[in-house]
């Protein structure tokens, strides 16, 4: 049991004496099913929210604070100190990743290690950025010393599916560029931040990083309403992003870095290697139970191969093992949001009512904290599962005759993150790529969609994203190019 009774504001771990909120796991700790209480977090309100944003704002001090004016080499030392201390928390953080969000042991370890690596790579890229941008240049008689500077106060809100890695993909670049940060951990995946609090406190100057707890309404809203936030950095849903953005009194001054919904399709052409396509579509649709913005959320299979693809794909789904995150060879694990099985069931019922069939035997089987992936076929545009980002274990399949059909659907979609294209004839694939890259931001050839490796740009068109992440891009997104100029006399 971990009762988090401190929070980090203004360089101090302050004692929390007020009301608390229990943190539950949907995983049962006994044979009898029943959610497990993992601990508690402070239930904060406006007072603490304002305390945090004021601390970040004073620490930034319009760019004159200790952190934003600190030498690059010293900021790097602070970050290196942080990551050294962070490494010692691996087993505890991994344990909470499994219990809080139900991520499998190998994936939890991967999330932790990927984050450590991300921080080291960010430090290296920051050195490079500083070396390359801090240069004298000369044009038309004007000499310039260009450099990159911070933008101000950042409110950082990450998602529950990567409460460490994706959150840190916002927080770490924001911080290293000299911005000051307020971070509120996600609802699920909050206690795993506790082992890191002391590392944050002791590595950075006071007010550079502030960590608060509570619900968006009580904490994030007053922070936005204060007007002291310069960047809203959020990975989650557009509804929250829009609501928060609207609360800022001066929206023109607010920068946005947002990773939002996606409905990434896979298109399986008639000459695709079916073994490979099925294997990649299983991973693409069901890694972490489909709770990834990059998950494949709809499959378009050419009508000539649909029977075979569906039969073999459905059998593979039924062969997947459900269990607790620490069990061996487990792919399907408990869902952290207790409402999720009901929502997935609603999507299934709606699709079945409108003409789809569940084509795998185990599809839709319930256990108290899970619903077994249902493969639905054929899907039409009247169905909710065609439009909604399911973010969970249900797989809609459509057929197509002409490639223009999925392309038209992608063009009409509100989303535009990635696509997977399966096929083997380069003469068919090559011209398609030119169209696909204008509909989404990443085209995966004969492989499922994914965010990493973190050196590649991660973004989306339309309602899927604002701004670009990746180590390289995030450093630029959280900073501005400035320069000192002098004229030849
Ligand atoms: O939820 C969205 C994440 O960006 C997915 O990341 O592709 O590395 O699992 P991933």
């Amino acid at each position: 049991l971990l009762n988090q009774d401190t929070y980090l504001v203004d360089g101090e771990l302050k004692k929390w004496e007020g009301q608390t909120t229990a943190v539950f796991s949907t995983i049962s700790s006994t044979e009898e099913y029943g959610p497990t209480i993992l601990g508690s977090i402070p239930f904060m309100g406006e007072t603490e929210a304002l305390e945090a944003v004021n601390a970040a704002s004073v620490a930034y001090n319009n760019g004159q604070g200790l952190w934003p004016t600190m030498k690059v080499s010293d900021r790097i030392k602070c970050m290196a100190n942080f990551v050294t201390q962070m490494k010692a928390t691996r087993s505890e953080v991994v344990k909470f990743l499994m219990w809080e969000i139900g991520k499998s042991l190998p994936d939890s370890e991967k999330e932790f290690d990927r984050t450590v690596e991300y921080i080291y790579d960010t430090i290296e890229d920051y050195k490079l950025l500083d070396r390359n941008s801090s240069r004298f240049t000369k044009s038309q008689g004007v000499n310039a010393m260009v450099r990159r500077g911070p933008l101000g106060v950042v409110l950082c809100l990450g998602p529950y599916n990567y409460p460490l890695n994706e959150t840190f993909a916002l927080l770490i670049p924001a911080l290293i560029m000299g911005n000051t940060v307020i971070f509120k951990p996600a609802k699920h995946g909050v206690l795993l931040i506790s082992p890191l609090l002391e590392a944050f406190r002791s590595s950075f100057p006071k007010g550079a990083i502030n960590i608060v707890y509570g619900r968006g309404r009580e904490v994030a809203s007053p922070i936005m309403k204060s007007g002291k936030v310069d960047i809203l950095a959020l990975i989650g849903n557009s509804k929250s992003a829009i609501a928060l953005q609207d609360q800022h009194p001066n929206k023109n001054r607010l920068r946005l870095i947002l990773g939002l919904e996606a409905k990434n399709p896979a298109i399986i052409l008639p000459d695709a290697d079916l073994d490979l396509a099925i294997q990649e579509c299983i991973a693409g649709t069901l890694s972490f139970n489909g709770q990834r913005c990059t998950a494949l959320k709809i499959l378009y299979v050419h009508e000539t191969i649909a029977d075979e693809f569906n039969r073999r794909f459905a059998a593979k789904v039924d062969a997947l093992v459900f269990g607790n995150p620490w069990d061996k060879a487990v792919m399907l694990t408990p869902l952290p949001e207790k409402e999720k099985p009901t929502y997935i069931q609603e999507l299934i019922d709606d699709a079945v009512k409108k003409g789809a069939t569940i084509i795998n035997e185990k599809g839709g089987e319930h256990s108290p904290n899970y619903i077994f992936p249902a493969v639905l076929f054929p899907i039409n545009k009247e169905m909710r599962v065609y439009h909604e980002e399911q973010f969970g274990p249900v797989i809609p399949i459509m057929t197509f005759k002409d490639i223009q059909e999925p392309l038209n659907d992608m063009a009409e979609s509100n989303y535009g993150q990635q696509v997977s294209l399966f096929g083997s004839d380069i003469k068919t694939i090559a011209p398609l790529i030119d169209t696909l890259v204008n509909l989404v931001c990443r085209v995966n050839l004969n492989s499922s969609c994914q965010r990493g490796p973190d050196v590649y740009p991660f973004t989306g068109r339309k309602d899927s994203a604002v701004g670009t992440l990746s180590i390289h891009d995030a450093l630029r997104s959280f900073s501005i190019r400035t320069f000192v100029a002098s004229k030849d006399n």
Side-chain angles (χ1 to χ4, degrees):
L1 213 65
L2 197 161
N3 293 315
Q4 181 55 48
D5 60 357
T6 55
Y7 62 106
L8 179 61
V9 167
D10 209 17
E12 254 183 77
L13 284 174
K14 301 200 176 182
K15 187 87 181 143
W16 176 253
E17 314 268 9
Q19 210 184 322
T20 59
T21 311
V23 178
F24 288 96
S25 171
T26 61
I27 304 170
S28 186
S29 54
T30 60
E31 288 295 299
E32 295 292 303
Y33 175 73
T36 306
I37 294 188
L38 299 176
S40 65
I41 52 163
F43 183 89
M44 294 184 163
E46 190 175 346
T47 311
E48 297 75 32
L50 294 179
E51 193 188 354
V53 72
N54 288 338
S57 176
V58 168
Y60 190 69
N61 190 19
N62 289 307
Q64 299 176 71
L66 175 62
W67 182 244
T69 55
M70 193 180 272
K71 275 199 335 221
V72 166
S73 56
D74 288 340
R75 255 195 242 141
I76 288 173
K77 274 188 205 145
C78 294
M79 193 55 85
N81 182 12
F82 172 75
V83 70
T84 305
Q85 291 188 59
M86 177 180 168
K87 283 196 289 188
T89 67
R90 185 178 191 261
S91 60
E92 213 177 342
V93 173
V94 164
K95 188 178 71 191
F96 276 112
L97 274 168
M98 291 192 287
W99 275 96
E100 284 196 80
I101 64 163
K103 192 167 271 192
S104 71
L105 175 60
D107 284 352
S108 295
E109 289 176 337
K110 202 153 100 193
E111 174 158 358
F112 188 92
D113 297 341
R114 179 178 177 181
T115 310
V116 167
E117 199 180 320
Y118 183 95
I119 301 175
Y120 280 121
D121 290 350
T122 299
I123 290 174
E124 287 313 308
D125 217 58
Y126 179 44
K127 285 184 197 161
L128 205 64
L129 177 66
D130 183 60
R131 211 175 308 136
N132 290 340
S133 54
S134 302
R135 272 220 186 121
F136 278 107
T137 56
K138 188 173 177 174
S139 176
Q140 298 172 37
V142 177
N143 306 301
M145 171 67 182
V146 180
R147 55 206 218 181
R148 282 218 158 243
L151 287 158
V153 173
V154 182
L155 173 61
C156 180
L157 304 166
Y160 83 80
N161 62 339
Y162 275 99
L164 184 72
N165 181 262
E166 257 199 313
T167 307
F168 278 37
L170 301 171
L171 191 156
I172 297 296
L175 205 49
I176 207 167
M177 290 311 301
N179 303 286
T180 60
V181 175
I182 310 140
F183 161 43
K184 187 182 86 62
K187 181 176 170 200
H188 305 286
V190 51
L191 290 176
L192 60 88
I193 299 299
S194 299
L196 298 167
L197 284 186
E198 176 52 26
F200 273 123
R201 190 205 62 77
S202 59
S203 304
F204 300 102
K206 70 179 203 157
I209 169 83
N210 304 277
I211 302 178
V212 289
Y213 296 93
R215 291 192 302 204
R217 213 175 318 137
E218 276 87 10
V219 177
S221 295
I223 291 175
M224 291 306 289
K225 284 182 189 157
S226 75
K228 291 180 178 168
V229 172
D230 300 290
I231 305 184
L232 171 63
L234 176 148
I235 295 180
N237 63 64
S238 27
K239 215 168 116 202
S240 319
I242 292 166
L244 286 171
Q245 193 184 333
D246 285 346
Q247 287 166 12
H248 196 286
N250 189 350
K251 275 208 276 178
N252 289 344
R253 270 174 55 176
L254 181 69
R255 286 203 182 204
L256 299 172
I257 298 173
L258 308 175
L260 304 169
E261 295 92 347
K263 188 91 185 169
N264 295 339
I267 301 173
I268 298 122
L269 299 172
D271 63 351
D273 172 341
L274 274 199
D275 288 336
L276 178 68
I278 288 167
Q279 178 192 315
E280 288 292 315
C281 286
I282 292 280
T285 51
L286 291 173
S287 290
F288 194 40
N289 308 298
Q291 301 167 115
R292 296 161 60 233
C293 62
T294 51
L296 289 174
K297 299 197 177 101
I298 188 155
L299 309 182
Y300 287 90
V301 186
H302 193 266
E303 60 175 15
T304 54
I305 52 165
D307 284 348
E308 187 182 355
F309 179 91
N310 288 354
R311 182 176 43 77
R312 289 170 55 190
F313 183 77
K316 277 260 191 251
V317 170
D318 277 347
L320 296 175
V321 179
F322 170 72
N324 281 327
W326 45 86
D327 293 342
K328 279 218 173 79
V330 77
M331 166 106 173
L332 310 172
T333 49
L335 301 169
E337 296 181 296
K338 63 179 187 334
E339 314 76 20
K340 191 50 83 66
T342 313
Y343 168 66
I344 297 292
Q345 186 64 55
E346 276 172 25
L347 294 183
I348 296 171
D349 293 345
D350 172 75
V352 168
K353 200 168 81 197
K354 293 170 182 163
T357 303
I358 302 175
I359 61 167
N360 58 324
E361 271 175 35
K362 292 186 179 173
E365 276 178 13
H366 278 260
S367 57
N369 50 9
Y370 199 69
I371 176 162
F372 200 88
V375 185
L376 296 171
F377 179 83
I379 294 306
N380 65 50
K381 295 183 187 178
E382 302 306 309
M383 298 173 185
R384 283 175 61 189
V385 75
Y386 171 81
H387 298 279
E388 294 177 27
E389 188 201 34
Q390 63 266 44
F391 216 76
V394 59
I395 306 157
I397 302 184
M398 290 181 92
T399 54
F400 67 95
K401 196 196 280 263
D402 186 317
I403 186 63
Q404 200 54 47
E405 295 163 36
L407 295 183
N408 289 346
D409 289 355
M410 287 172 70
E412 277 168 19
S413 166
N414 290 329
Y415 306 117
Q417 193 199 64
Q418 302 190 19
V419 65
S420 289
L421 180 64
F422 294 91
S424 49
D425 179 9
I426 192 67
K427 285 207 255 1
T428 317
I429 291 175
L432 269 179
I433 292 173
D434 293 337
T435 305
L436 289 171
V437 287
N438 290 344
L439 292 169
V440 293
C441 290
R442 174 166 168 164
V443 178
N444 299 279
L445 296 178
N446 293 311
S447 59
S448 61
C449 300
Q450 65 176 68
R451 174 165 43 115
D454 294 319
V455 291
Y456 294 126
F458 176 57
T459 183
R461 296 175 187 273
K462 299 189 259 186
D463 294 345
S464 285
V466 177
T468 304
L469 293 174
S470 86
I471 293 164
H472 179 86
D473 292 284
L475 290 175
R476 286 157 180 81
S477 300
F478 284 103
S479 62
I480 190 163
R481 224 148 78 94
T482 62
F483 69 102
V484 183
S486 68
K487 275 189 188 170
D488 278 347
N489 288 319

